[in-house]
Amino acid sequence: NKLKRKCLMNNPLYEKRKDTDAEKNGAWFDYCETVDGEGNPVPLRFKLRRCGGSNVEFLSQQEKYSKPYRHMTRKGKELTVETRAKIMIELFCNYILVDWENVQDEQDEFVDFSPEKAKEIFTALPDVMYELIDEAQGEEVFLAEQRGEDEKN
């Protein structure tokens, strides 16, 4: 009988335990490196809540935003790409994205986080938003053991 997976901890049942506080309140994700106003390298970072898990506010809002379109899906019709994108931008900017660091607008000006500014930026850059949603749907950013190791470094 071969083992199906390699256990990384002394107690492997808990290696997938999530940091529920990070899921609800956000965890920092380094997207890439950029430069500050003086040309020094700085991380472009986003603080993300989890899409699901302990982030029950996201789950309830997802239900709320989807409810007006249920009649369509019950009849076998699909939402348009535009409608799905509009829903995702609202959910992402209000219930997943919490903050950012070193984000610049199209004029290379650093901008403070606000849901309104995020909607403006991610409407223009939906592929970046979907990359961040992939991170927020994953578990790696929110694993309790991984977060403990990251905080030590």
Side-chain angles (χ1 to χ4, degrees), residues 69-84 87:
Y69 303 101
R70 272 205 207 109
H71 68 282
M72 290 176 61
T73 55
R74 279 191 208 121
K75 293 179 182 177
K77 296 180 183 176
E78 289 190 26
L79 298 178
T80 65
V81 171
E82 294 81 13
T83 300
R84 284 195 308 254
I87 291 170

Side-chain angles (χ1 to χ4, degrees), residues 42-151:
V42 292
L44 175 57
R45 305 175 75 205
F46 296 92
K47 190 172 186 182
L48 305 171
R49 293 182 187 119
R50 185 137 192 229
C51 289
S54 297
N55 185 359
V56 293
E57 185 178 26
F58 166 76
L59 296 171
S60 67
Q61 291 300 318
Q62 184 179 38
E63 175 71 17
K64 177 183 163 191
Y65 277 87
S66 302
K67 192 173 185 176
Y69 303 101
R70 272 205 207 109
H71 68 282
M72 290 176 61
T73 55
R74 279 191 208 121
K75 293 179 182 177
K77 296 180 183 176
E78 289 190 26
L79 298 178
T80 65
V81 171
E82 294 81 13
T83 300
R84 284 195 308 254
K86 183 179 173 186
I87 291 170
M88 280 312 304
I89 285 172
E90 287 294 322
L91 290 170
F92 178 72
C93 295
N94 289 300
Y95 305 103
I96 299 169
L97 184 60
V98 177
D99 200 359
W100 61 38
E101 291 179 355
N102 303 312
V103 170
Q104 297 170 302
D105 61 16
E106 283 189 275
Q107 291 74 39
D108 296 330
E109 297 293 326
F110 287 93
V111 292
D112 292 331
F113 172 77
S114 72
E116 294 74 26
K117 193 61 169 173
K119 289 175 198 173
E120 182 184 314
I121 288 172
F122 291 114
T123 297
L125 303 169
D127 290 342
V128 175
M129 178 186 73
Y130 286 113
E131 283 182 62
L132 294 171
I133 288 171
D134 284 347
E135 289 298 327
Q137 287 175 328
E139 62 182 21
E140 183 135 340
V141 173
F142 305 102
L143 288 176
E145 182 179 334
Q146 179 65 41
R147 291 192 47 72
E149 290 297 317
D150 288 346
E151 288 170 8

